[in-house]
Amino acid sequence: MNHTLRTPLLVAGLLLLPVAGQAAETSYGADATTSTTMEYVEDSMITTQIKAELAAEQISSLVNIHVDTDQAGAVVLSGGAADQAAVDKAVSIAEAVEGVTSVKHDIRVEVDQ
């Protein structure tokens, strides 16, 4: 009887270890430069949303744009686009996503030779 109860409790305890570790890190003042799990998830959500919006536009050159988001919601777009209109569209898409605080771009216009 004890053995059947011990196994589920052991599994539950092992599953809760990462949660306890995260709680301890935030409770006891983790280093300010260390990104917490929640900040990372929010950054990833912003990046994913921007990439999805860029893909939804169905402008082929927007697929070549790299999106990077920091913990403060600042977005940096880089890569190449077919023309300035595509660059402007990428910037406006990024600015419209919830949670974005600023957008900087290093997108270069790639002229076909």
Side-chain angles (χ1 to χ4, degrees), residues 79-102:
D83 54 27
Q84 188 60 42
V87 174
D88 296 340
K89 184 67 174 174
V91 171
S92 68
I93 287 171
E95 290 173 337
V97 171
E98 184 177 342
V100 173
T101 56
S102 66

Side-chain angles (χ1 to χ4, degrees), residues 22 25-26 30-48 68-74 98-99:
Q22 180 64 31
E25 181 180 321
T26 55
D31 184 18
T33 60
T34 304
S35 178
T36 66
T37 303
M38 191 58 148
E39 289 170 336
Y40 178 76
V41 169
E42 289 173 4
D43 302 346
S44 296
M45 288 174 50
I46 290 172
T47 299
T48 302
D68 187 33
T69 308
D70 73 5
Q71 64 186 8
E98 184 177 342

Side-chain angles (χ1 to χ4, degrees), residues 4-108:
T4 59
L5 183 59
R6 195 175 335 162
T7 302
L9 288 175
L10 178 64
V11 170
L14 290 174
L15 292 173
L16 290 175
L17 279 176
V19 174
Q22 180 64 31
E25 181 180 321
T26 55
S27 296
Y28 296 113
D31 184 18
T33 60
T34 304
S35 178
T36 66
T37 303
M38 191 58 148
E39 289 170 336
Y40 178 76
V41 169
E42 289 173 4
D43 302 346
S44 296
M45 288 174 50
I46 290 172
T47 299
T48 302
Q49 180 67 32
I50 292 170
K51 287 182 178 182
E53 296 288 333
L54 291 172
E57 285 298 314
Q58 297 180 348
I59 300 173
S60 62
S61 66
L62 293 182
V63 178
N64 299 324
I65 295 177
H66 176 74
V67 181
D68 187 33
T69 308
D70 73 5
Q71 64 186 8
V75 174
V76 177
L77 304 174
S78 59
D83 54 27
Q84 188 60 42
V87 174
D88 296 340
K89 184 67 174 174
V91 171
S92 68
I93 287 171
E95 290 173 337
V97 171
E98 184 177 342
V100 173
T101 56
S102 66
V103 177
K104 177 184 179 238
H105 81 84
D106 295 321
I107 303 171
R108 57 192 183 282

